[in-house]
Amino acid sequence: MFIKTVKGSNFRNLSAFDLEFAPGKNLFLGINGSGKTNLLEAIHYLCIGRSMRSVAEDEQMIGFTREWFRLEGQAQTTEGDINVEAAYNKEEKRLKINGELQQKLSELIGRMPVISLSQEDDDLCKAGPGVRRRFMDLAISQFSKTYLADLQDYNRILKQRNHLLYAIKEGRSNAGSLEAWNQQLVECGMKLVRKRMEVIDDLKEMAGSRYVGVSGGRERLGLRYHLSYKYEPGQPIEEAFAKALATGFEFERRRGITMFGPHRDDMEISLAGMRIRQFGSQGQQRTAAIALKLAVAEIMAAQLKEKPVILLDEIFAELDSQRAGLLIRQLDPECQVFIASAHENDITRQDGFKKFRVEDGRIVQE
Amino acid sequence: MHYGSEILSRTIDELMKLPGIGRKTAQRLAFYLLKSSQEDAVALANAIVELKEKVRFCVQCFNASENDLCTICRDVKREPALICVVEETNDLLAIEKTSEFHGLYHVLQGHLSPLDGIGPDDLRIRELMQRLEKTEVREMIIATNPNAEGEATALYLMKLVKPLGIKVTRIARGLPVGSDLEFSDEVTLSRALTGRQEM
Ligand SMILES: [Zn+2]
């Protein structure tokens, strides 16, 4: 799919804009703080109803001294043209698809697949497991509605179970009904675990070859799903999960929260057999993160029969021009690409880029 | 808040105590009542008073009733050995509309929800267990909602009832995801009822 136009009002520091994009490569040029990343964010928001920044509340996206923001975009997909309107006014978020008001924001997910690469991705290899779980959940949700529904169910069960554990800890409740929640946590949690493992299997192959493609090196990128409880090889996972809940009850009761399950699991990333989190260099970590994101884009395209839009935010800044060139060559030429950058470089100087200059929130097509 | 009338603001305050009614809706309702005819307003007020005076819960199944036993429990044509457990009276009404079920009910008056501080003791579970001990029951169908809370309630009941040697079935999951029984259309609901599975 590709995004044809995007209109916006009161979105962050951006002046009202109405832009027409190229189906291929688009470049947003501007210094830091000019608003070029905000423009990427507007596109991301229209695609899945939220920012690509991990810490961004809707309220922060409203322009200074304004009361609301509004975005509208048109895209061409394999299922025909789609028009998306998103608005937020500090009280409610409204989403319209082809003029029809949607009750659930999740209706948008999967129709306009998007993948974003930014310096924030460095966290994927460096930070705690939460970042990697979010990566898996966001990626899989975009091509599997079942996964998204299971994830929502799981979070609900988890919230209820945590409240019960806390009530037990405080002596306000007994443990009589805990088993009913355990059973559901295991049943629903296993759906998430199975899907994540399945996706990681695919991802391993693709990310591995992407890593070689971008780094030009030969190190082998490895991925492994890591459970948050003890597991003997060959043992059914649901059995290990249920056992962890049963034997870990005292531990959970003391803390008053659920300590085992997919909300505590991790995805281990390794390079040549070594954990990248501890042993990888800055460059290796960044390249691995890029390889993972590109692999997700590939899986999405295959699962949805729809090419995702790719957003690259300042990704060249810390890559040498050779790696940057390799990265661009790794992108699916059929994917629409939006690049935000402070400078032109050897790659962007080539033909085929539609260029926009962003200055102090004003966007001008070159 | 000042509405120019003490009685008006009291009416709004009372309406706001109802579930799902915020200040704005309460105001709209109050002004609507103020403009409505004398008969309509009195009819509503009387209905509420009579509801509280004459309607209570059936001592056996906790359905709404004007007598000790509700009309369903008193109906001799219904099969007392078959009990369908529902969360609320609304769910009972939805199942009754299908005309597929000829047994009796047990209304739990809620579901397990630690978030709202609701545990087994806050539901009519003790009464259900006493009922199962007193009467000969062949099958108990659990028709709680197909969401996390309904499912937890079902699993809890199953664990409790299974050891009594009673056949326990759960209404089949033919319902659209995330929907509540009350809102599902009759066709899906009756299909779900006939296709129930043993737990
Ligand atoms: Zn009754």
Side-chain angles (χ1 to χ4, degrees), chain B residues 172-184:
Chain B
R173 284 258 216 159
L175 301 167
V177 193
S179 70
D180 287 350
L181 269 183
E182 196 193 331
F183 299 111
S184 59

Side-chain angles (χ1 to χ4, degrees), chain B residues 34-197:
Chain B
L34 188 59
K35 280 186 273 179
S36 68
S37 72
Q38 184 72 14
E39 298 91 83
D40 282 354
V42 170
L44 175 64
N46 285 342
I48 294 173
V49 172
E50 265 190 280
L51 178 77
K52 272 325 275 183
E53 275 174 1
K54 295 182 184 158
V55 183
R56 51 213 144 114
F57 295 109
C58 169
V59 294
Q60 179 167 270
C61 75
F62 299 93
N63 179 21
S65 174
E66 289 178 27
N67 300 91
D68 277 354
L69 285 178
C70 72
T71 49
I72 295 173
C73 285
R74 274 182 295 157
D75 187 345
V76 290
K77 288 196 292 285
R78 302 195 70 125
E79 203 183 326
L82 194 57
I83 292 185
C84 180
V85 179
V86 293
E87 292 180 16
E88 300 287 356
T89 306
N90 290 334
D91 304 322
L92 179 154
L93 295 176
I95 293 173
E96 277 300 283
K97 260 168 79 187
T98 68
S99 316
E100 287 286 339
F101 180 71
H102 307 289
L104 299 181
Y105 291 93
H106 192 86
V107 185
L108 294 171
Q109 299 188 330
H111 52 219
L112 291 179
S113 178
L115 265 171
D116 306 299
I118 296 172
D121 295 343
D122 304 301
L123 306 176
R124 300 292 183 177
I125 292 177
R126 199 179 303 110
E127 290 87 345
L128 173 67
M129 297 311 288
Q130 285 165 358
R131 197 176 160 190
L132 293 177
E133 267 167 38
K134 275 195 309 212
T135 50
E136 191 71 35
V137 173
R138 178 168 53 81
E139 181 181 352
M140 184 175 95
I141 304 165
I142 305 179
T144 50
N145 284 317
N147 51 28
E149 294 75 20
E151 203 63 34
T153 312
L155 289 167
Y156 181 78
L157 285 178
M158 197 186 65
K159 203 181 78 179
L160 230 51
V161 176
K162 263 271 162 114
L164 303 180
I166 296 168
K167 180 178 171 193
V168 183
T169 53
R170 172 91 168 101
I171 191 168
R173 284 258 216 159
L175 301 167
V177 193
S179 70
D180 287 350
L181 269 183
E182 196 193 331
F183 299 111
S184 59
D185 66 279
E186 287 167 43
V187 185
T188 9
L189 191 54
S190 71
R191 204 179 305 139
L193 260 176
T194 36
R196 63 186 185 266
Q197 307 152 335

Side-chain angles (χ1 to χ4, degrees), chain A residues 346-364:
Chain A
D346 293 347
I347 297 142
T348 61
R349 272 185 217 105
Q350 293 165 12
D351 288 343
F353 274 92
K354 185 161 186 177
K355 293 175 188 172
F356 300 85
R357 202 162 277 283
V358 187
E359 239 169 80
D360 219 2
R362 276 188 310 277
I363 309 160
V364 186

